[in-house]
């Protein structure tokens, strides 16, 4: 039998990989107060919003992709600015396939639910890292 050689076998496999023993340097950078990672190249609008649509409707892969695409409208309604070059706004759709449903109706209902969830997230959030949240502002 021949021994396997290559990047995953033999001497090359024993190379030191620093990312397995300590976090990458991007995680070590901190702001002036020592809180939270800061990426100066990200710019002023580097906020990522990740959303999930869970449904019991039967959806094909193409229909689930279309639902995710349509739900991005909720981001556009609730977040200003949205979809900038520095963020990674994403929506994932998961369907269990238990019931038959029109995927357009599923997308419309999911968009309304996502918009409501985003608005609730803003009003119920608390401040962090020295930054105030919407609920921390004094009433006018």
């Amino acid at each position: 039998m021949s021994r396997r050689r290559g990047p995953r076998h033999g001497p090359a496999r024993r190379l030191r990989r620093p990312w397995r023993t300590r976090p990458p340097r991007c995680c070590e950078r901190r702001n002036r107060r020592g809180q939270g990672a800061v990426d100066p190249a990200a710019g002023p609008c580097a906020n990522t919003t990740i959303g999930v649509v869970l449904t019991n409707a039967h959806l094909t892969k193409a229909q689930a992709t279309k639902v995710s695409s349509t739900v991005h409208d909720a981001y556009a309604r609730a977040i200003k600015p949205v979809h900038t070059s520095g963020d990674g706004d994403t929506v994932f759709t998961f369907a269990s396939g238990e019931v038959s449903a029109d995927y357009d109706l599923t997308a419309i209902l999911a968009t309304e639910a996502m918009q409501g969830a985003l608005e609730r997230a803003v009003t119920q959030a608390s401040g962090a890292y020295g930054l105030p949240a919407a609920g921390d502002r004094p009433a006018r």
Side-chain angles (χ1 to χ4, degrees):
M1 285 191 189
S2 64
R3 294 182 62 185
R4 297 173 113 186
R5 295 283 180 194
R8 294 185 181 210
H9 305 282
R13 183 176 185 200
R14 293 185 194 96
L15 292 175
R16 184 171 178 262
R17 293 182 179 101
W19 60 88
R20 291 192 180 183
T21 58
R22 67 175 192 263
R25 289 186 180 204
C26 63
C27 297
E28 295 172 1
R29 284 183 273 177
R30 304 284 179 184
N31 64 16
R32 288 184 202 143
R33 295 182 183 159
Q35 301 168 339
V38 175
D39 185 7
C45 300
N47 298 316
T48 296
T49 305
I50 299 174
V52 176
V53 175
L54 298 171
T55 180
N56 62 348
H58 175 74
L59 299 175
T60 64
K61 184 177 179 180
Q63 289 171 335
T65 302
K66 182 65 176 170
V67 169
S68 293
S69 177
T70 304
V71 171
H72 273 274
D73 292 347
Y75 285 7
R77 293 179 196 167
I79 302 169
K80 303 292 186 224
V82 69
H83 302 309
T84 61
S85 61
D87 64 21
D89 298 337
T90 306
V91 177
F92 297 99
T93 298
F94 298 98
S96 66
E98 296 171 2
V99 297
S100 177
D102 179 34
Y103 80 94
D104 284 326
L105 183 60
T106 303
I108 292 168
L109 293 174
T111 301
E112 295 299 320
M114 183 65 74
Q115 182 178 355
L118 291 167
E119 291 170 357
R120 277 190 307 281
V122 169
T123 57
Q124 294 178 2
S126 58
Y129 302 109
L131 300 172
D136 297 337
R137 295 175 48 191
R140 293 183 184 186

